[in-house]
Amino acid sequence: MKKKVLFLCIGNSCRSQMAEGFARRYGSDILECESAGLAPASIVQPMTKKVMEAKNINIDEQYPKGLDTISLQELDLVVNMSGTRLPPHLTLAVREWTIEDPIGRPEDLYIEVRDQIEMLVMHLILQLRNDLRKRQGIKPTARKVLSGAGSRSK
């Protein structure tokens, strides 16, 4: 069963949009995701779209949303990148990611933030896959080492 994850930041215009894009691309087998903002902007920043396109991830269909548009009771996890304390009515599992907000800053910072978010999303996906394997009772298979035992030389 897929985990339902919300990526949350302030404006849902940069960081959470990047995280949603990476999660959809890399983790669609293990999670369903959305993104939202505490105070949603009117657009996804053009620089956000540009730096994601450089990773061959198109987020043109994504748009800023507020928490009021999200069905919170269906979520398994909120990844908070806002840097602010979440509303007390959110009684969900929360992970805090400290990521600088690049809005209005140079492209270099957008790239740095994008790369940081990519690594964090990849790590989250790996954790979710490992958790699923554990719940299913699947253990890593050990490699069989071939030795000289049992072999015959002529």
Side-chain angles (χ1 to χ4, degrees):
M1 184 169 175
K2 293 182 181 183
K3 293 288 184 178
K4 295 186 180 182
V5 178
L6 173 68
F7 295 101
L8 182 69
C9 68
I10 300 292
N12 193 217
S13 183
C14 300
R15 296 168 291 176
S16 55
Q17 294 289 349
M18 290 178 191
E20 180 182 354
F22 284 125
R24 287 182 187 277
R25 170 62 63 87
Y26 301 147
S28 62
D29 62 311
I30 195 73
L31 62 81
E32 294 174 5
C33 65
E34 296 182 85
S35 64
L38 296 175
S42 57
I43 63 167
V44 174
Q45 288 297 305
M47 188 61 69
T48 301
K49 292 179 179 185
K50 179 181 178 183
V51 300
M52 291 300 285
E53 278 290 337
K55 289 280 190 169
N56 294 315
I57 297 176
N58 183 309
I59 60 170
D60 285 345
E61 299 300 316
Q62 294 176 206
Y63 58 93
K65 299 165 287 305
L67 268 179
D68 58 334
T69 67
I70 305 296
S71 181
L72 298 175
Q73 64 274 12
E74 294 179 10
L75 296 174
D76 295 304
L77 175 65
V78 174
V79 176
N80 182 19
M81 295 177 266
S82 71
T84 63
R85 177 172 253 160
L86 293 182
H89 70 275
L90 287 179
T91 57
L92 303 161
V94 177
R95 290 196 189 180
E96 301 285 341
W97 289 357
T98 303
I99 301 169
E100 189 172 354
D101 189 351
I103 195 161
R105 309 281 296 282
E107 184 175 352
D108 288 354
L109 183 60
Y110 273 84
I111 292 168
E112 184 180 316
V113 165
R114 177 205 62 200
D115 293 347
Q116 182 183 6
I117 290 171
E118 181 179 28
M119 294 308 296
L120 288 166
V121 168
M122 290 172 72
H123 185 71
L124 173 63
I125 290 166
L126 289 174
Q127 287 179 328
L128 293 175
R129 287 180 182 148
N130 286 335
D131 291 348
L132 177 62
R133 286 185 187 107
K134 287 177 187 173
R135 285 194 310 275
Q136 293 174 336
I138 300 172
K139 295 179 182 177
T141 56
R143 289 186 185 177
K144 292 183 179 180
V145 178
L146 297 177
S147 66
S151 63
R152 296 182 189 184
S153 54
K154 293 185 177 183

